[in-house]
């Protein structure tokens, strides 16, 4: 009888140890740099990282359907709009961490502790220096000037990055002025929106257009891709950071939140703390050419070569609040 009780106790302890030695991550991100960091976290802590990747909307929907039965501990997505939606749908829980408060500036984390930035990207201009004088560029509204008619390109307004950019413009300038921006931008398009950010960069280099709105890290990826054509393209174009005299360049993020019913909450907090540490931030910056959120960490060489810039420090929840309105205004202004 004693032996049976001892055996049952041992089995029970093993079950507890197994359930307490893992963390389950739902992630939109698909980068090798992330997988390498998850492996390093496992080696450092003995906590196994179980990863499921899918599109942000699929992961948010899955969390909603699973409810209290969800095995997920962490949701990681790109774009503040996705994080804000997850928070609004009550899929995340607030956590308090002195480590995260130290590692991440306040405008890059939720005031209720429901999401935390782990990387950031600047929404900037890439231009052809042979045809564009950067002295004529200023904030995002400068792309609506008559002199740039037929010269500007960007991807669709339905893209998450453009929705958040427009949402930030609404947050700063109101709906009426933002609609003027959309109409002016559309009026200056060299072509109808199509393709991803890399396609916009390639089009500027080929002469199909002269200036494009893109996320910073795409240019860094192209410059270090190992593809000779893309690497040459990255050398031919130049970077301009908008709104340096006003709000600062729009910043978007990849971020993480602890799910509402996280079965391994403490492990989840440890993983996000690790991802925002100096060690991990350095690897993310070098591996994917994103800007680190930890102020103590410098960006990768190619990214650093573009120079320091003023970033928009508006609390990103204020941007998230305007996402639906951004869709309405883009539609009204005929931004396809």
């Amino acid at each position: 009888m004693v032996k049976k009780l001892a055996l049952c106790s041992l089995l029970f302890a093993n079950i507890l140890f197994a359930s307490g030695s893992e963390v389950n991550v739902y992630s939109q991100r698909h980068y090798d740099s992330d997988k390498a960091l998850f492996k390093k976290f496992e080696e450092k802590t003995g906590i196994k990282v179980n990863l499921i990747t899918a599109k942000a909307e699929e992961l948010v929907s899955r969390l909603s359907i699973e409810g209290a039965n969800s095995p997920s501990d962490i949701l990681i997505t790109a774009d503040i709009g996705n994080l804000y939606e997850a928070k609004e749908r009550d899929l995340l829980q607030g956590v308090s961490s002195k480590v995260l408060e130290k590692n991440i500036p306040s405008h890059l984390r939720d005031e209720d502790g429901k999401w935390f930035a782990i990387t950031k990207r600047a929404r900037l201009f890439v231009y052809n220096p042979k045809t564009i004088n950067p002295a004529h560029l200023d904030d995002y509204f400068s792309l609506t000037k008559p002199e740039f008619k037929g010269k500007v390109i960007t991807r669709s307004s339905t893209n998450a990055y453009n929705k958040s950019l427009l949402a930030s413009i609404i947050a700063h300038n109101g709906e009426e002025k933002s609609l003027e921006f959309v109409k002016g931008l559309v009026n200056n398009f060299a072509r109808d929106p199509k393709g991803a950010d890399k396609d916009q960069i390639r089009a500027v280099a080929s002469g199909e257009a002269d200036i494009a709105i893109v996320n910073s890290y795409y240019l860094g990826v192209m410059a270090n891709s190992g593809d000779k054509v893309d690497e040459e393209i990255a050398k031919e174009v130049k970077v301009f950071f908008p709104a340096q005299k006003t709000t600062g360049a729009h910043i978007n993020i990849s971020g993480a939140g602890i799910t509402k019913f996280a079965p391994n909450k403490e492990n989840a907090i440890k993983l996000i703390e690790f991802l925002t540490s100096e060690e991990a931030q350095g690897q993310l910056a070098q591996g994917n050419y994103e800007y680190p959120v930890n102020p103590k960490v410098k960006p990768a060489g190619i990214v650093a070569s573009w120079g320091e810039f003023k970033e928009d420090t508006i609390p990103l929840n204020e941007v998230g609040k305007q996402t639906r309105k951004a869709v309405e205004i883009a539609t009204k202004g005929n931004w396809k």
Side-chain angles (χ1 to χ4, degrees):
M1 182 68 176
V2 173
K3 286 184 178 180
K4 285 185 177 179
L5 287 172
L7 181 59
C8 288
S9 296
L10 180 60
L11 289 171
F12 183 66
N14 285 339
I15 291 169
L16 284 178
F17 180 77
S19 65
S21 298
E22 65 180 9
V23 59
N24 303 311
V25 179
Y26 286 4
S27 180
Q28 178 190 3
R29 290 168 61 91
H30 49 80
Y31 309 119
D32 290 339
S33 56
D34 292 35
K35 294 174 184 176
L37 283 173
F38 292 151
K39 185 176 181 180
K40 181 167 285 189
F41 176 78
E42 290 178 334
E43 293 169 352
K44 281 178 171 287
T45 65
I47 299 170
K48 179 174 174 54
V49 179
N50 302 312
L51 178 65
I52 290 177
T53 58
K55 293 180 179 180
E57 54 268 29
E58 294 172 359
L59 295 174
V60 170
S61 178
R62 180 169 179 166
L63 281 173
S64 182
I65 293 169
E66 290 173 339
N69 296 317
S70 178
S72 175
D73 297 300
I74 299 177
L75 172 68
I76 298 178
T77 78
D79 186 70
I80 181 56
N82 294 321
L83 291 166
Y84 185 81
E85 181 182 357
K87 177 183 176 179
E88 286 295 287
R89 291 174 66 171
D90 196 26
L91 300 176
L92 305 176
Q93 63 173 292
V95 298
S96 178
S97 164
K98 294 295 183 184
V99 174
L100 293 176
E101 289 175 9
K102 179 183 176 183
N103 289 349
I104 310 170
S106 60
H107 68 286
L108 297 176
R109 49 185 162 84
D110 179 49
E111 67 267 24
D112 299 317
K114 293 192 174 182
W115 57 259
F116 302 87
I118 54 176
T119 64
K120 60 185 181 180
R121 302 98 177 260
R123 197 81 178 140
L124 46 72
F125 302 158
V126 165
Y127 67 94
N128 185 335
K130 296 176 182 178
T131 58
I132 295 293
N133 182 352
H136 295 175
L137 297 173
D138 188 3
D139 57 17
Y140 296 96
F141 284 84
S142 65
L143 296 186
T144 67
K145 291 179 180 179
E147 66 184 277
F148 295 127
K149 187 172 180 61
K151 297 184 176 184
V152 181
I153 54 171
T154 189
R155 63 202 294 177
S156 169
S157 67
T158 60
N159 168 255
Y161 304 139
N162 278 339
K163 282 193 286 188
S164 289
L165 170 61
L166 183 53
S168 75
I169 292 173
I170 296 168
H172 281 299
N173 301 280
E175 296 177 26
E176 185 177 342
K177 194 168 182 181
S178 298
L179 179 57
E180 290 176 11
F181 164 76
V182 170
K183 290 180 177 179
L185 184 70
V186 170
N187 190 54
N188 282 349
F189 279 164
R191 67 179 188 194
D192 285 342
K194 64 178 181 178
D197 279 15
K198 288 182 182 179
D199 298 311
Q200 316 308 315
I201 296 169
R202 294 179 184 124
V204 168
S206 71
E208 186 176 354
D210 297 280
I211 186 166
I213 305 172
V214 301
N215 267 1
S216 54
Y217 90 99
Y218 287 108
L219 185 61
V221 169
M222 289 177 71
N224 295 274
S225 64
D227 183 307
K228 290 183 179 181
V229 174
D230 273 355
E231 287 181 351
E232 193 58 38
I233 285 171
K235 292 176 183 177
E236 292 177 8
V237 300
K238 297 292 183 182
V239 166
F240 184 89
F241 293 100
Q244 295 303 282
K245 297 176 184 176
T246 54
T247 60
H250 169 62
I251 294 295
N252 210 322
I253 62 170
S254 280
I258 310 294
T259 55
K260 184 175 182 179
F261 301 104
N264 303 289
K265 179 179 177 179
E266 295 306 314
N267 291 347
I269 294 172
K270 288 177 183 177
L271 178 54
I272 299 177
E273 288 177 342
F274 171 71
L275 291 175
T276 60
S277 68
E278 291 182 53
E279 176 187 8
Q281 287 283 290
Q283 283 191 230
L284 285 169
Q286 296 296 326
N288 204 40
Y289 308 101
E290 296 171 278
Y291 284 98
V293 298
N294 190 318
K296 293 182 179 180
V297 181
K298 295 182 179 180
I302 179 67
V303 180
S305 73
W306 301 333
E308 295 184 359
F309 68 99
K310 176 184 177 182
E311 69 178 70
D312 190 353
T313 57
I314 186 174
L316 287 178
N317 276 330
E318 296 303 311
V319 176
K321 290 176 185 176
Q322 302 297 336
T323 302
R324 289 189 180 89
K325 184 58 66 175
V327 174
E328 293 177 20
I329 288 179
T331 301
K332 192 179 293 187
N334 200 31
W335 184 356
K336 297 178 181 178

